[in-house]
Amino acid sequence: MACKLAGSNFILSGYQQSPIKNHRVSPLTSSLGTHYLKLENLSYRRTKQARYSISLRNSRVVKAVAVPVAPPPADSKEHRDQLCQSYGFRKIGEPLPDNITLKDVIETLPKKVFEIDDTKAWKSVLVSVTSYTLGLFMIAKAPWYLLPLAWAWTGTAVTGFFVIGHDCAHKSFSKNKLVEDIVGTLAFLPLIYPYEPWRFKHDRHHAKTNMLSEDTAWHPVWQEEFDSSSTLRKAIIYGYGPFRPWMSIAHWLIWHFDLKKFRPNEVSRVKISLACVFAFMAIGWPLIIFKTGIAGWIKFWLMPWLGYHFWMSTFTMVHHTAPHIPFKSSDEWNAAQAQLNGTVHCDYPRWIEILCHDINVHIPHHISPRIPSYNLRAAHKSLQENWGKYLNEATWNWRLMKTILTTCHVYSQEKNYVAFDELAPEDSQPIAFLKKVMPDYT
């Protein structure tokens, strides 16, 4: 007997050891969910091979009742667990209630996590200087086939200099502001980063985290920008796709050397920082080239610098970019939600965390930038105890990076992000390439 259910044909027959009983409800499972067939007043006869064929002679109705299984609610734990698996996260937090303020969160932190310890601060300087010196020694002595490992170590070590300058900019390195300005400027010099311009822009990132137009760090691509020209569209696809782990270089150039981007009361300090950077380039680069040649400049400075920018880009991406983390307009933005819900804690291999002074422990840093880097772990533990169900946490993995590079592209108010290949598949070969070649394991 054949009956039609949702446009498909099903044959009801089978081998049985006992007769089929009237009014039996039997489940059918398909990719659309679990459905039920209700059989009313059916007769049967037994064949020689113990097969039962259903006769319709005494039948009046065959009813098919489809009962689809509903997906889990968007704010349920089951749904968040599914997103974790899909995105490469370890944990996705619940939405933070609107009535929770940033002050409420800060008040739960132990007072000791805000205390500056000069010994620990200068110990971090010693770690960075020692690891960077070791890296330069490794580059000088390593055979060509081990140079990538030496560059990876040295680039990670010099990232530690950035984190020290980062603490100085947030007034969490020393109680003496002059010391902080000097140390911060010197720490940024090997990176060719002007300290004061970066400090001014970075302060705005903390004040406007994940605010659509005002955040000075990573933010989604605007649809209007993406559609403005085919040339720009292709450049954006490469920049937010395969080149994204080095796009902090573009950010460095665009945001830090143009005096017009700064307020009048900031310009004098910006000029001092720019003068320091240009002096370092004018003196340091010729010395490197004089001693080691152009190849030596590439080997000892450029390659570690590119390694630093890999971490600069990656840390910033992972901290604030995920399909479920929204960027909001200023009238919808909530500080506590942006800093607690919109920031990601990510664990890396321990040697990276040591050389980079726990910059990956980023949620407490966004709750209060005044927390020194060496107190971030204690602060994060407190946040886990008091606000744990709202935290986003991950362990760095390929699926996480693949999600960011292939999905988090153009701003959408409804979906947060729309991928390039959904909007312009004909131009999105770089994204298709990443989807094909990047591993998918966590």
Side-chain angles (χ1 to χ4, degrees), residues 260-280:
K260 296 178 182 177
K261 292 185 180 293
F262 299 93
R263 302 184 182 100
N265 63 326
E266 297 172 341
V267 170
S268 60
R269 298 184 71 90
V270 169
K271 287 180 178 179
I272 293 172
S273 287
L274 292 179
C276 291
V277 165
F278 292 137
F280 182 87

Side-chain angles (χ1 to χ4, degrees), residues 324-341:
H324 67 284
I325 294 178
F327 275 71
K328 295 185 178 182
S329 58
S330 57
D331 58 333
E332 297 178 331
W333 186 80
N334 177 293
Q337 291 172 352
Q339 313 296 10
L340 192 71
N341 262 157

Side-chain angles (χ1 to χ4, degrees), residues 176-239:
N176 187 313
K177 188 169 187 317
L178 178 61
V179 169
E180 287 184 321
D181 288 344
I182 293 172
V183 172
T185 299
L186 293 176
F188 273 30
L189 284 183
L191 309 171
I192 314 299
Y193 240 99
Y195 172 73
E196 293 289 356
W198 176 85
R199 180 171 71 88
F200 292 138
K201 294 302 179 186
H202 189 67
D203 283 347
R204 296 179 201 176
H205 163 62
H206 275 272
K208 310 291 184 181
T209 303
N210 286 17
M211 193 181 290
L212 258 178
S213 301
E214 291 81 359
D215 195 347
T216 58
W218 284 103
H219 52 76
V221 176
W222 290 100
Q223 179 79 51
E224 296 79 5
E225 184 182 27
F226 187 70
D227 293 336
S228 61
S229 76
S230 59
T231 301
L232 180 59
R233 178 165 60 248
K234 291 176 181 178
I236 289 173
I237 289 173
Y238 275 98

Side-chain angles (χ1 to χ4, degrees), residues 72-95 322-326 392-394 397 399-400 403 407 415-416 442:
D75 59 349
S76 68
K77 183 180 185 304
E78 181 183 353
H79 179 69
R80 291 194 299 274
D81 289 344
Q82 290 175 358
L83 295 183
C84 282
Q85 178 65 23
S86 175
Y87 300 160
F89 272 70
R90 189 170 70 236
K91 176 187 172 185
I92 289 178
E94 299 177 17
H324 67 284
I325 294 178
N392 291 287
E393 297 180 334
N397 62 82
R399 185 177 299 171
L400 179 66
T403 298
T407 303
K415 300 192 297 182
N416 297 334
T442 56

